[in-house]
């Protein structure tokens, strides 16, 4: 039996306990760790549209573990692709091939770091025998300590990228020398260097204020927070309303009538639920006498389907016939005048005029269930109210949302180096907005009395966007906490019944125009239900257009931080490759690459200073090297189209569990104490990035 752990959440939403047996309700989703046998299977899993997190860990036996959000039926489908739930204990390393010739080894990097949990060692090496090599590391450290750990081949898209540890290994004291040994005889030695060993952050002066976030915040609260900062610091800030309104936290109202698959009909309102769709209702009536034809009548907001009967008086209309009859009669009639079917409906009672005045749509559409032809006979059904199935309180706006940016700086005239920090492209990443809001508030509250902060505001021009995807964020807060994408449904009717509503939407960070799915790059999906759905076209979504509008409107922006969670990464371009041949977007020059890395180490030093969280060296680097290909992501478009140093944070580094001596993932919505700590440390990192920008000189 498979037991799924439920998605960690501060307040589990009601939908996570929805009964999966009701065909109109989505299956519950869970955050699990999957294990796949190798990297090829990992690519198949990604290509299938699996909702993968950024936490991915190669294992010593060549398998890969990755956290994913799955429903029970998705898990079954992924098991057919070779995935299984990861075991509690990692697999043993693959056994050596003793007949192979002696190989040549190179130690690419050997570093130690000290986190709040003590010393750790990270080693990256490569073998001339490639992924077939079985490597292990022994080390010696201060005080004569020693240790040994197996290495893991890291293979991506068929390319051998070297060996590394699955995760940094603990050491009893500071490691000084490592020896990498191959089962076929190769050896190599290296001195162990410090990590991240960046420039030490400024020591906060006396009276430096921080810690301004006290809870996870939905979009309305985030926007109110930056509005309040603007009111409090009008001389240092301006509020920018981004030009593209989102579609809004709203959906068409629906009802699922009957018994899926063959004897069921899905009725969908033209109007959004909040704009009249939720007021509609449908019933399937049994005329009770033999030989009646199928008829649809509309009485105000009530659609009555009078089922056909056979010679014995039994209902005889199929699902397909009922859907067709509703579409022929009611689609332009609800709330107005019925056409065909029944003249009496034109005299309908029920105040329909006011409803039709307030909506754009005037009716409903009906379909059979998913791809079913609908040959089943429909049973009578009582009056069923249509619903948009949205559960946010009434004070959460259903209107298209305006995305806000808070611009911070003493000289906001385009003469200072611009820094863009934007969060929550992915709705469920609740910590990300806290990072940028905390950083903004620190910069403003400390400007008056802290010299270092004042220098930053003198020399830079900062653009803070707390939530790029507010509709999805509301859905994550109030309806389905694992929501990743925006709320806009581009699916055809057969993928749009109510039980599929948690799969709709566009992955905002796959909707950009550089290295995109339509350009042939890997790591986005054309399936509207996939976790990485790229959308119907590049920039089809207002959420992505807003981000690029900022880069275009403010060409002084030279740095950007795209804040995501979780896993503890610090990444930069290239972020996408074509699968065939693993052809990446162009690499930055060696000089640029060195600048990315040097800046990263400085910023990671600031993150670590907060509570001793060290971003792993193997998770610091180009997206394609340390994670996977993500076609059409925003950092790539910023870098390749606008020359912006586009970085990504994955906040929420793994936590070391001393009892099990294993690293553990933190999830998207950890208990607030952990989310708060992540916000504090990555806000420090973001302010360090502003410091990097303040020192930037055009080459
Ligand atoms: Zn994300």
């Amino acid at each position: 039996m498979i037991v799924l752990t439920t998605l960690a959440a501060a307040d589990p939403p009601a939908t996570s306990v929805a009964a999966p047996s009701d065909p109109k309700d989505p299956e519950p989703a869970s955050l699990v760790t999957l294990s796949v046998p190798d990297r090829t299977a990992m690519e198949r899993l990604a290509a299938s549209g699996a909702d993968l997190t950024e936490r991915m860990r190669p294992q010593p036996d060549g398998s890969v573990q990755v956290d994913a959000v799955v429903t029970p039926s998705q898990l079954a489908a992924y098991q057919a692709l070779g995935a299984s739930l990861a075991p509690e204990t990692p697999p043993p390393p693959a056994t050596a091939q003793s007949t192979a010739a002696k190989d040549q080894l190179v130690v690419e990097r050997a570093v130690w770091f000290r986190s709040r949990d003590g010393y750790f060692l990270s080693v990256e090496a490569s073998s001339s025998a490639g992924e077939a090599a079985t490597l292990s590391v022994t080390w010696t450290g201060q005080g004569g300590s020693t240790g040994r750990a197996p290495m893991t081949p890291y293979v991506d898209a068929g390319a051998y990228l070297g060996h590394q540890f699955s995760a940094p290994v603990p050491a009893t004291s500071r490691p000084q020398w490592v020896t990498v040994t191959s089962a076929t005889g190769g050896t190599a030695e290296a001195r162990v260097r410090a990590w991240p060993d960046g420039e030490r952050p400024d020591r906060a002066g006396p009276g430096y204020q921080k810690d301004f976030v006290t809870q996870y915040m939905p979009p309305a609260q985030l926007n109110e927070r930056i509005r309040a900062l603007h009111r409090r610091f009008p001389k240092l800030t301006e509020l920018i309303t981004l030009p593209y309104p989102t579609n809004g936290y709203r959906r068409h109202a629906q009802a699922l009538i009957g018994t899926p698959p063959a004897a069921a009909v899905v009725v969908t309102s033209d109007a959004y639920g909040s704009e009249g769709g939720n007021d509609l209702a449908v019933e399937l009536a049994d005329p009770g006498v033999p030989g009646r034809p199928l008829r649809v009548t509309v009485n105000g907001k009530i659609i009555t389907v009078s089922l056909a009967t056979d010679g014995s008086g039994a209902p005889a209309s199929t699902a397909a016939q009922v859907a067709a009859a509703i579409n022929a009669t009611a689609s332009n009639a609800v709330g107005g005048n019925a056409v065909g079917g029944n003249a009496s409906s034109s005299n309908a009672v029920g105040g329909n005029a006011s409803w039709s005045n307030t909506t754009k749509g005037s009716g409903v559409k009906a379909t059979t269930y998913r791809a079913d032809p609908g040959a089943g006979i429909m049973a009578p059904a009582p009056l069923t109210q249509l619903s948009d199935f949205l559960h946010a309180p009434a004070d959460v706006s259903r209107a298209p949302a305006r995305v806000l940016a808070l611009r911070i700086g003493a000289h906001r005239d385009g003469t200072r180096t611009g820094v863009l920090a934007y969060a929550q492209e992915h709705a469920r990443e609740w910590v990300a907005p806290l990072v940028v809001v905390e950083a903004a508030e620190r910069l403003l509250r400390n400007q008056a009395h802290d010299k270092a902060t004042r220098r930053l505001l003198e020399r830079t021009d900062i653009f803070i966007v707390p939530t790029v995807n507010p509709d999805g964020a509301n859905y994550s807060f109030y309806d389905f906490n694992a929501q990743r994408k925006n709320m806009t449904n581009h699916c055809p009717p057969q993928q749009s019944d109510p039980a599929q509503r948690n799969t709709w939407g566009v992955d905002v960070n796959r909707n950009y125009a550089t290295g995109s799915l339509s350009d042939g790059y890997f790591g986005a999906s054309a399936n509207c239900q996939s976790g990485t759905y790229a959308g119907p076209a590049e920039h089809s979504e207002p959420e992505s257009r807003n981000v690029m509008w900022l880069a275009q409107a403010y060409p002084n922006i030279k740095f950007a931080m795209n804040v995501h969670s979780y896993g503890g990464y610090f990444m930069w371009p290239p972020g996408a490759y074509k699968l065939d041949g693993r052809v990446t977007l162009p690499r930055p020059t060696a000089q640029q690459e060195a600048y990315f890395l040097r800046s990263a180490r400085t910023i990671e030093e600031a993150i670590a200073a907060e509570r001793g969280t060290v971003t792993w060296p193997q998770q610091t680097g180009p997206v394609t090297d340390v994670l996977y290909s993500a076609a059409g992501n925003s950092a790539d478009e910023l870098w390749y189209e606008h020359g912006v140093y586009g970085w990504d944070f994955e906040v929420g580094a793994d936590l070391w569990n001393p009892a099990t001596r294993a690293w553990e993932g933190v999830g998207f919505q950890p208990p607030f104490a952990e989310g708060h700590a992540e916000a504090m440390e990555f806000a420090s990192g973001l302010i360090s990035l502003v410091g990097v920008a303040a020192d930037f000189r055009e080459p």
Side-chain angles (χ1 to χ4, degrees):
M1 162 150 179
I2 288 159
V3 178
L4 300 182
T5 55
T6 51
L7 199 64
D11 297 299
T15 49
S16 68
V17 293
S21 55
D22 188 326
K24 77 178 187 323
D25 289 335
E27 286 186 286
S30 305
L31 183 58
V32 300
T33 302
L34 296 177
S35 177
V36 293
D38 53 35
R39 209 47 207 213
T40 310
M42 176 71 200
E43 278 142 26
R44 277 202 305 271
L45 189 65
S48 76
D51 188 355
L52 305 177
T53 71
E54 279 76 11
R55 184 170 183 268
M56 190 180 61
R57 304 283 182 262
Q59 298 299 309
D61 66 347
S63 67
V64 179
Q65 293 190 358
V66 62
D67 288 4
V69 175
V70 299
T71 64
S73 56
Q74 284 169 335
L75 182 63
Y78 303 155
Q79 281 167 334
L81 294 172
S84 59
L85 285 173
E88 290 293 321
T89 48
T95 49
Q97 297 162 335
S98 53
T99 56
K102 181 172 171 177
D103 53 348
Q104 301 294 315
L105 304 184
V106 176
V107 179
E108 314 282 358
R109 181 161 60 181
V111 294
W112 64 269
F113 63 82
R114 184 165 191 182
S115 79
R116 63 183 172 278
D117 298 302
Y119 288 103
F120 290 86
L121 174 68
S122 169
V123 180
E124 291 150 81
S126 58
S127 162
S128 59
E131 62 180 293
T134 302
L135 305 188
S136 60
V137 175
T138 54
W139 69 88
T140 56
Q142 274 181 325
S145 65
T146 60
R148 185 173 186 282
M151 299 191 84
T152 296
Y154 188 40
V155 179
D156 183 57
Y160 169 64
L161 301 180
H163 279 64
Q164 61 187 30
F165 294 145
S166 306
V169 297
T172 49
S173 64
R174 179 161 74 77
Q176 292 167 315
W177 282 92
V178 291
T179 304
V180 180
T181 309
S182 165
T184 57
T187 62
E189 290 198 331
R191 175 186 284 284
V192 185
R193 314 220 170 253
W195 178 268
D197 200 27
E199 214 175 291
R200 295 295 183 279
D202 291 326
R203 222 175 244 290
Y208 187 87
Q209 294 178 48
K210 61 182 187 182
D211 198 351
F212 299 105
V213 295
T214 56
Q215 60 186 340
Y216 289 123
M217 288 186 274
Q221 276 183 43
L222 291 167
N223 286 338
E224 180 44 38
R225 185 64 84 93
I226 63 169
R227 280 200 178 91
L229 285 172
H230 172 57
R231 287 193 298 269
R232 173 72 183 77
F233 300 98
K235 289 205 174 72
L236 290 172
T237 64
E238 64 194 73
L239 211 52
I240 302 170
T241 302
L242 302 187
Y244 302 104
T246 68
N247 191 60
Y249 173 74
R250 55 184 182 172
R251 280 195 169 146
H252 300 283
Q254 295 192 299
L256 172 63
I257 312 289
T259 310
V265 170
V266 176
V267 179
T268 304
S269 66
D270 291 344
Y272 289 105
S274 50
E275 295 167 20
N278 288 342
D279 301 334
L280 304 178
V282 185
E283 66 183 330
L284 269 55
D286 180 353
V289 285
R292 285 302 173 93
L294 173 63
R295 288 205 317 182
V296 177
T297 59
V298 179
N299 186 345
K301 293 162 190 172
I302 296 173
I303 300 162
T304 301
V305 178
S306 179
L307 296 167
T309 49
D310 63 16
S312 71
S317 299
T318 66
Q321 289 167 339
V322 168
I326 291 173
N327 290 337
T329 308
S331 60
N332 290 304
V334 179
N337 293 328
V339 288
N342 186 347
S344 73
S345 69
S346 63
N347 299 318
V349 292
N352 50 32
S354 67
W355 182 81
S356 62
N357 284 344
T358 58
T359 57
K360 293 190 195 91
S362 59
V364 299
K365 290 191 179 52
T367 61
T368 57
Y369 185 74
R370 301 194 180 176
D372 197 276
I377 301 295
M378 293 297 292
L383 192 65
T384 304
Q385 196 81 26
L386 273 63
S387 172
D388 61 11
F389 301 104
L390 295 179
H391 300 102
D395 64 352
V396 174
S397 172
R398 267 64 174 171
R402 302 309 295 254
V403 177
L404 299 182
L406 182 67
R407 186 180 188 182
I408 303 170
H411 309 280
R412 301 180 306 279
D413 55 5
T415 62
R416 301 304 196 268
T417 302
V419 180
L420 167 62
Y422 57 110
Q424 209 168 31
E425 286 185 323
H426 293 146
R428 63 193 173 198
E429 299 169 7
W430 293 3
V431 180
L434 305 186
V435 171
V436 301
V437 165
E438 168 73 17
E441 191 141 358
R442 283 190 202 174
L443 290 168
L444 290 166
R445 300 262 177 215
N446 291 298
Q447 190 268 349
H449 57 268
D450 181 68
K451 218 172 111 185
T453 301
R454 196 154 53 244
R455 176 175 173 274
L456 296 182
L457 295 204
E458 279 294 322
R459 299 182 69 145
T460 64
D461 189 359
I462 303 153
F463 300 78
I464 300 280
V465 184
T467 178
V468 170
N469 177 12
D471 302 341
N474 278 324
Y475 197 66
S476 177
F477 260 85
Y478 301 114
D479 299 284
F480 173 56
N481 64 346
Q483 177 75 10
R484 168 182 169 97
K485 304 186 285 179
N486 73 6
M487 274 188 72
T488 303
N489 180 17
H490 292 285
C491 287
Q494 63 268 26
Q495 291 168 280
S496 291
D497 64 88
Q500 294 175 309
R501 63 186 183 268
N502 288 347
T503 69
W504 302 335
V506 177
D507 183 345
V508 175
N509 204 27
R510 300 294 185 277
N511 188 238
Y512 296 88
T514 300
S516 68
L517 178 69
S518 57
D519 293 339
Y521 285 80
F522 182 68
S525 173
N527 178 350
C528 62
Q529 292 184 273
S530 162
T532 54
Y533 176 48
E538 294 172 349
H539 291 176
S540 60
E541 306 306 296
E543 291 86 352
S544 58
R545 291 201 297 276
N546 279 330
V547 173
M548 285 309 139
W549 179 85
L550 276 168
Q552 276 154 11
Y554 302 98
N556 61 317
I557 293 176
K558 287 280 174 265
F559 293 85
M561 180 54 76
N562 183 12
V563 187
H564 287 256
S565 76
Y566 61 94
Y569 291 80
F570 192 156
M571 300 181 289
W572 55 82
Y577 51 69
K578 294 181 176 177
L579 198 53
D580 189 15
R582 202 178 183 277
V583 180
T584 68
L585 287 165
R587 293 242 164 211
T589 65
Q591 201 182 357
Q592 289 164 339
E593 185 103 45
Y595 182 71
F596 271 121
L597 182 59
R598 194 168 66 246
S599 305
R601 295 172 82 147
T602 296
I603 293 164
E604 289 182 0
E605 200 73 56
I607 293 167
E610 196 69 33
R611 63 160 174 163
T613 297
V614 178
T615 309
W616 301 352
Q618 70 209 57
Q619 298 194 159
T620 302
V623 177
T624 52
D625 292 2
V626 304
L627 188 58
Y628 45 57
S629 180
N633 71 78
S634 50
D636 277 343
E637 183 160 345
L638 288 168
W639 172 244
Y640 294 102
E641 297 301 318
H642 300 282
V644 174
Y645 284 85
W647 276 302
D648 312 278
F649 275 156
E650 292 288 346
V651 312
D654 281 19
L655 301 175
W656 177 254
N657 183 333
T660 61
R661 297 180 66 74
W663 294 98
E664 294 175 353
V666 296
F668 295 110
Q669 297 139 18
F672 183 72
E674 167 60 22
H676 171 266
E678 293 169 17
M680 291 302 114
E681 61 196 8
F682 281 88
S684 295
L686 184 53
I687 289 171
S688 175
L689 165 60
V690 174
V692 167
D695 295 336
F696 179 71
R697 289 286 164 273
E698 288 283 357

